[in-house]
Amino acid sequence: MSELHLITGGQRSGKSNFAQKTALGISQNPVYMATARVWDDDFKERINRHKADRGDNWENIEIPVFISQADVKGKVVLLDCITLWLTNLFFEHKDLTIDEILKLAKEEFNRLIKQDARFIVVTNEIGMGGHGENEIARKFTDLQGWMNQYIASLADEVTLMVSGIPMKVK
């Protein structure tokens, strides 16, 4: 049976660092499931820095949309992050409504966590930082908030990161 730990918080709150330490506390060889797409040189450099920081003991899987296709049975999996994954879904399905994209996201996430694994999932609380300045930003913030609520409802544990300090929520 799978276990699910959601780690959430604002930008640069320490989520990924805490998630990595948590994964390494469980397994010497965890899986890092990266959902980012490389869209410019600056982001590529950022990704390379993160890979170097993690070290060779991590199994890296780069999977921007169909996260359930990764075979992670029996492993400790750090999925980083839901926000980038939802961004990919959002822009791949621009023709769909937010409700339809949310349904797709829930279905894909459910397929992933059906695998017998321990999941540590990082997400962002983007709605805490203010109101979106345009329609697309507001729609995405809604999508993100609803998906965060869904994952939190399924999670065995939820941690909110505030200024590098983990606060147990659930």
Side-chain angles (χ1 to χ4, degrees):
M1 184 167 178
S2 71
E3 288 183 40
L4 177 58
H5 181 174
L6 179 66
I7 300 171
T8 189
Q11 184 175 341
R12 295 284 171 246
S13 61
K15 300 177 305 289
S16 293
N17 186 44
F18 178 74
Q20 288 177 30
K21 287 179 181 176
T22 300
L24 288 170
I26 301 167
S27 171
Q28 292 181 6
N29 301 102
V31 173
Y32 188 91
M33 185 180 293
T35 60
R37 285 191 168 140
V38 179
W39 55 74
D40 62 24
D41 288 338
D42 179 60
F43 201 74
K44 183 177 184 176
E45 184 179 313
R46 183 178 177 148
I47 289 170
N48 288 336
R49 187 174 57 247
H50 280 283
K51 282 182 183 178
D53 288 347
R54 280 194 302 274
D56 295 335
N57 57 320
W58 288 83
E59 176 185 345
N60 290 298
I61 299 174
E62 295 180 12
I63 191 158
V65 178
F66 300 106
I67 56 177
S68 70
Q69 292 179 352
D71 181 5
V72 294
K73 288 180 216 72
K75 298 182 179 181
V76 173
V77 180
L78 168 50
L79 190 163
D80 197 355
C81 78
I82 293 297
T83 306
L84 292 172
W85 172 62
L86 282 177
T87 300
N88 299 334
L89 277 176
F90 184 76
F91 286 106
E92 282 216 5
H93 299 286
K94 290 185 273 198
D95 54 322
L96 299 179
T97 68
I98 292 301
D99 289 336
E100 290 168 326
I101 297 170
L102 179 61
K103 183 177 186 275
L104 288 174
K106 287 178 178 180
E107 290 169 352
E108 183 67 15
F109 189 79
N110 288 343
R111 282 190 292 272
L112 173 68
I113 64 169
K114 278 186 181 175
Q115 297 183 60
D116 184 17
R118 291 182 75 171
F119 295 96
I120 300 163
V121 177
V122 174
T123 193
N124 289 279
E125 291 294 336
I126 63 174
M128 292 175 84
H131 194 67
E133 64 186 50
N134 59 54
E135 183 181 358
I136 290 175
R138 288 187 296 273
K139 284 182 178 180
F140 185 78
T141 300
D142 288 349
L143 175 65
Q144 176 76 57
W146 290 325
M147 192 63 189
N148 284 352
Q149 289 181 50
Y150 180 71
I151 295 170
S153 75
L154 300 175
D156 301 290
E157 187 174 353
V158 177
T159 302
L160 172 65
M161 295 299 297
V162 179
S163 301
I165 299 170
M167 300 176 64
K168 186 172 183 161
V169 176
K170 177 181 176 185

